[in-house]
Amino acid sequence: MSRLRAPRTSPPSAPELVRRAVSTLFPMIVPRPIDAPPLLEEHLIPEVGVEELRWAYGRVRIGAAPGPDGIPNIASRQRWRHFRKLPPRLYGGSGQRLVLMLKPGKPAMEPSSYRPLCMLDTAGKILERIIAGRLETHTEGPAGLADSQYGFRKGRSTVDAIQAVLSTARTAISGKRWHRGTKEYCAIITLDVRNAFNSARWNKILIALNQMEVPAYLLRIVSSYFLDRVLEFTTDDGSETFEVTAGVPQGSVLGPILWNVMYDRILRLKLPRSAKIVGFADDIAVTVVAKHLDLVEFYSNETIRLVRAALTDLGLQTADQKTEVLLVTSRKVRETITLRAGDHYITSAPCIRYLGVHIDARLRFDEHLRIVNDKANRVAGALLGIMPNIGGPRSSRRRLYASVVDSILLYGAPAWSEAAKTHDYVRRAASIHRRACLRVICGFCSISHEASYVLASIPPLELLIDERSRLYHRRLENVGSEERARTIEKWQAKWARSTKGRWTHRLIPNIIPWIERRHGEANYHLTQLLTGHGCFRSYLCRTNNDTSDRCPACPLAVEDAEHVIFHCPRFAEEREGAPSPLSRALGNLRRW
């Protein structure tokens, strides 16, 4: 990242701005008395064993920032290896060091433009990990969290939440419209909760835990966890502290599970029959299905009212101006609805953004694919600047940089993979994907797509999209290596059928030995030999950079890659291994 010439930001240090940000992001709420349940003698407290302790410290990330005590995580982890049980005096305080991160594109002088992260001590995180592990046995049980919560839970992802919303919409617009038809309208409504995690009421969390029949000792631990919490932050005037009276720390281990427990009430609301609610952390998406537009508006307004009232009862507020509405329909003529959220009236838009995927009214994903292409193109331009053809990092590290572009192009692929087949997305996205592959192998832009993918050991983009979809449908199975083998099999068949890159195919007919090799790095000179695109007269003449394709030492022979490598007497010394770029490339080629 230090090589990317991007503007750098540092946390704000102006005293007035930092204090305003802290008071805005951490609202002062008069704490209600927290009644911890009594711990009776018959309540057994399971001791923390060696295996549980080893599991907890095994989850500590070495590179994570330390908390207020300043002890690096690697030191804390080494210390914990020697414990055989949980020390009796482990958690002496509830301090957290605040780091403010400016949200992209937000004004720096606005307190709400910052994302607060709380750095906690590693010892406290280990205790939180143990508590969270025990809470999960209850939150994931029969009386636990609602199935419609997809955030902060094992085996669930943003793609699951997106697919849950899209599944309802696709079912609604399928079939016939009139004469006993099943086709209906579907409204997708996304609600935004203002300053959600820092506004969570502690008493509401404990009430929800009690309703899930969490043991008394865990309730008492969580109640103690909330007491006397202090926030530490630094300004130009020095270190200061701030008393925290609500919220779950962003950056803690317990925060996500405690948030889900409190928020579960929202996802269990009794909504109108045609409405469904999907949650991912604090993001809410509501789908309302009805045959007629007036019914869609009526049920949608009633659903919004119920959700806002439940959030208000929890002490949370919605940012009504950020509410988005999408009317999914198969009609060619665009129709709209207008809904009310508090004092705001929101008209349905042609496209909305939900969990990073842009959903349009026809579920064609044109806008999403266009936006993703533009974003990937910008990122590729920034990354390609640190991967020159001559010099720079080796090809294995270049593949890591190229995977950043792929992660942008392939995000949410299971949701839009079918739609992408009917668009020119693959053609436009493949050009960006190919740019990254060319920089991995330090190749010329005239190299074919097929040859550049093989030399970079990166499958074609359309095969990666298909692989992501297959993996998602088999996500409950451990089939990553099986699906990658299937992708390579399709890739091999496509490579054998292609009419392009045939010189490269003569040298590398089978893909698997090439991508599984443990030696050699593709570089500027080796790539020229493997592709024939380089400083050879046949190539230079074909690109109008030379007047003749004949070898100066062998007038009857055409100077191409095959002639230079195997026949031309001018390079006999290099073939014997004399130090030169060509000899090093030939040496790599021999090893291959």
Side-chain angles (χ1 to χ4, degrees):
M1 293 300 294
S2 62
R3 294 177 178 270
L4 295 178
R5 297 177 181 176
R8 297 186 172 275
T9 59
S10 57
S13 59
E16 182 180 353
L17 175 60
V18 175
R19 291 175 191 137
R20 282 196 299 122
V22 169
S23 61
T24 301
L25 297 172
F26 296 89
M28 290 294 295
I29 298 172
V30 178
R32 296 185 179 182
I34 300 176
D35 298 325
L39 192 62
L40 305 179
E41 292 184 0
E42 60 267 23
H43 292 164
L44 296 178
I45 302 178
E47 187 180 25
V48 179
V50 177
E51 291 302 319
E52 189 176 12
L53 191 59
R54 184 178 292 114
W55 169 81
Y57 74 65
R59 298 289 299 276
V60 175
R61 291 191 297 115
I62 297 298
D69 61 6
I71 300 176
N73 284 354
I74 188 171
S76 300
R77 188 170 177 176
Q78 291 297 327
R79 181 183 65 177
W80 277 82
R81 289 181 182 275
H82 302 290
F83 286 123
R84 290 288 176 254
K85 64 179 181 178
L86 194 68
R89 295 192 177 275
L90 166 74
Y91 201 52
S94 302
Q96 50 198 45
R97 180 170 60 87
L98 177 66
V99 175
L100 295 175
M101 299 182 65
L102 182 64
K103 298 177 182 178
K106 298 293 184 178
M109 298 308 294
E110 288 293 330
S112 58
S113 300
Y114 292 90
R115 179 176 289 109
L117 293 181
C118 298
M119 305 293 107
L120 305 176
D121 294 336
T122 304
K125 283 188 175 183
I126 290 175
L127 178 60
E128 287 188 36
R129 184 73 64 186
I130 294 172
I131 298 170
R134 296 189 177 189
L135 283 177
E136 279 184 1
T137 60
H138 301 277
T139 59
E140 298 299 330
L145 300 174
D147 288 336
S148 54
Q149 174 61 271
Y150 292 91
F152 308 132
R153 300 180 71 181
K154 293 179 181 178
R156 299 186 177 216
S157 66
T158 55
V159 177
D160 292 318
I162 295 167
Q163 289 284 54
V165 172
L166 293 178
S167 175
T168 302
R170 287 180 176 130
T171 303
I173 63 174
S174 62
K176 297 181 179 180
R177 180 170 295 280
W178 304 115
H179 190 63
R180 301 179 183 177
T182 59
K183 186 171 290 189
E184 298 176 291
Y185 292 100
C186 178
I188 301 176
I189 308 159
T190 60
L191 302 174
D192 184 85
V193 181
R194 182 183 291 114
N195 198 23
F197 295 100
N198 295 327
S199 302
R201 302 304 202 265
W202 293 339
N203 60 320
K204 301 291 184 180
I205 295 175
L206 290 172
I207 291 173
L209 285 171
N210 191 43
Q211 291 173 347
M212 289 186 182
E213 301 178 356
V214 171
Y217 82 93
L218 283 176
L219 286 175
R220 291 177 63 87
I221 289 177
V222 174
S223 176
S224 176
Y225 174 80
F226 289 142
L227 294 178
D228 302 324
R229 297 204 71 89
V230 176
L231 186 71
E232 300 178 5
F233 59 93
T234 304
T235 69
D236 292 336
D237 293 342
S239 299
E240 301 184 28
T241 59
F242 182 84
E243 182 182 0
V244 180
T245 57
V248 288
Q250 296 186 50
S252 65
V253 176
L254 265 180
I257 192 171
L258 295 179
W259 169 265
N260 278 352
V261 166
M262 183 201 70
Y263 211 58
D264 190 65
R265 176 180 170 183
I266 305 298
L267 303 180
R268 293 185 182 275
L269 285 174
K270 292 184 178 180
L271 302 176
R273 178 179 54 85
S274 61
K276 295 181 181 179
I277 189 169
V278 175
F280 188 91
D282 63 323
D283 288 306
I284 299 175
V286 176
T287 57
V288 179
V289 177
K291 190 78 171 179
H292 304 285
L293 283 181
D294 55 348
L295 291 177
V296 172
E297 289 191 4
F298 175 77
Y299 290 137
S300 297
N301 282 324
E302 180 64 13
T303 300
I304 293 174
R305 185 188 65 80
L306 292 172
V307 173
R308 291 184 76 256
L311 288 170
T312 302
D313 188 60
L314 286 178
L316 301 173
Q317 294 181 342
T318 55
D320 295 326
Q321 71 279 7
K322 295 183 180 180
T323 300
E324 291 186 301
V325 181
L326 174 71
L327 181 64
V328 180
T329 175
S330 60
R331 286 181 176 268
K332 294 181 179 179
V333 179
R334 182 191 167 195
E335 298 172 285
T336 62
I337 57 174
T338 301
L339 307 181
R340 180 177 180 178
D343 297 330
H344 292 77
Y345 289 89
I346 299 99
T347 301
S348 58
C351 181
I352 64 172
R353 186 174 184 265
Y354 176 60
L355 298 179
V357 172
H358 295 80
I359 308 174
D360 57 272
R362 302 289 297 278
L363 301 184
R364 296 181 60 184
F365 295 95
D366 302 73
E367 187 68 10
H368 173 76
L369 301 178
R370 183 189 65 80
I371 292 173
V372 164
N373 271 322
D374 292 342
K375 182 179 179 181
N377 194 37
R378 292 194 302 271
V379 173
L383 288 174
L384 297 185
I386 61 176
M387 293 191 288
N389 276 350
I390 300 178
R394 59 184 182 272
S395 61
S396 56
R397 187 164 296 175
R398 289 169 182 251
R399 278 195 295 273
L400 176 63
Y401 296 155
S403 67
V404 177
V405 178
D406 288 348
S407 66
I408 297 173
L409 292 172
L410 297 174
Y411 175 74
W416 50 258
S417 59
E418 290 298 321
K421 294 179 181 179
T422 62
H423 298 280
D424 61 345
Y425 165 75
V426 172
R427 180 181 60 81
R428 290 184 288 127
S431 64
I432 303 171
H433 177 70
R434 175 174 171 269
R435 286 174 60 198
C437 290
L438 287 177
R439 286 304 177 96
V440 169
I441 62 176
C442 307
F444 289 5
C445 61
S446 57
I447 298 174
S448 66
H449 288 64
E450 293 82 355
S452 62
Y453 296 149
V454 170
L455 293 179
S457 301
I458 300 175
L461 187 65
E462 60 269 24
L463 295 183
L464 291 177
I465 295 174
D466 187 50
E467 180 184 282
R468 289 286 181 96
S469 300
R470 297 196 312 268
L471 285 173
Y472 175 76
H473 293 304
R474 303 181 66 184
R475 58 191 178 279
L476 300 181
E477 310 172 50
N478 187 18
V479 292
S481 57
E482 177 184 337
E483 291 299 340
R484 175 46 60 100
R486 185 177 171 186
T487 297
I488 294 176
E489 182 181 352
K490 292 183 177 181
W491 186 15
Q492 178 66 61
K494 189 174 182 178
W495 177 233
R497 291 194 308 267
S498 176
T499 59
K500 298 181 179 180
R502 293 301 86 187
W503 167 245
T504 306
H505 183 269
R506 285 180 60 188
L507 298 175
I508 310 176
N510 298 316
I511 295 175
I512 292 180
W514 172 260
I515 63 178
E516 291 183 351
R517 74 190 190 283
R518 291 293 180 266
H519 61 270
E521 298 276 353
N523 55 39
Y524 178 68
H525 300 96
L526 180 60
T527 296
Q528 292 185 49
L529 295 179
L530 293 175
T531 61
H533 291 236
C535 297
F536 308 108
R537 285 200 166 185
S538 61
Y539 175 77
L540 296 176
C541 184
R542 191 166 68 247
T543 57
N544 296 322
N545 289 301
D546 205 334
T547 57
S548 173
D549 61 354
R550 298 297 168 176
C551 175
C554 314
L556 299 179
V558 175
E559 186 188 87
D560 55 12
E562 181 179 5
H563 178 73
V564 168
I565 294 173
F566 299 109
H567 307 297
C568 187
R570 287 182 298 157
F571 305 106
E573 187 176 355
E574 282 79 0
R575 293 191 196 96
E576 298 301 324
S580 71
L582 179 60
S583 65
R584 286 193 292 270
L586 288 171
N588 285 332
L589 188 58
R590 289 194 194 97
R591 294 181 67 188
W592 159 239

